[in-house]
Amino acid sequence: MSVELPFAPVDAIIRQNAGELRVSAGAAEALARRIQDHGAELAIDAAERATADGRKTLMAADFGVQQVVDRDDLYLPIAPIDRIARLRIDDRYRVAMDARIALADILEDYANNVAGAAVKLAHHADRRTVQAEDIETYFSLFE
């Protein structure tokens, strides 16, 4: 499965949490894959809510968001988020712009939580680099 999300903004999110630690390309890729999977699952749930309301357009409220943040406050780009949202839902659905921004905000929070934990794991392992294994260890501990 290809990853829709570019690694650079994911790397920036990890670096934001990493302080003096370095970040491996593998860590950014591992987190990007996890973000994509999580986003696609959230979109499936949102599509079910939209269908229950008789709509074909996913709205921010379908993702549980009442107030949408400003697009400029996000690290994650919106176009890949739109593609992620559409990965596992039927083509008949549309994703409103506020829903894309809401999903990006949710996924950014998710990424920040995972990155923060991965940094702690790298510190615990007495390494100077956050690696893919830190991302995967987080999920093996908390899933």
Side-chain angles (χ1 to χ4, degrees), residues 88-102:
R88 297 185 194 151
I89 61 174
D90 195 293
D91 288 340
R92 69 176 184 230
Y93 291 104
R94 299 177 60 132
V95 183
M97 181 56 77
D98 67 333
R100 295 174 202 169
I101 295 169

Side-chain angles (χ1 to χ4, degrees), residues 127-141:
R127 280 188 275 103
R128 297 184 325 179
T129 305
V130 177
Q131 298 176 352
E133 70 184 65
D134 300 316
I135 303 295
E136 296 307 325
T137 299
Y138 169 82
F139 286 102
S140 69
L141 291 172

Side-chain angles (χ1 to χ4, degrees), residues 67-81:
Q67 185 170 351
V68 179
V69 299
D70 187 66
R71 180 180 185 168
D72 295 332
D73 294 338
L74 298 171
Y75 277 101
L76 298 178
I78 300 302
I81 297 297

Side-chain angles (χ1 to χ4, degrees), residues 29-50:
E29 181 179 355
L31 184 54
R33 287 185 188 286
R34 293 294 188 148
I35 291 169
Q36 179 168 305
D37 289 342
H38 186 62
E41 289 301 317
L42 291 173
I44 290 170
D45 294 341
E48 290 171 1
R49 286 188 206 94

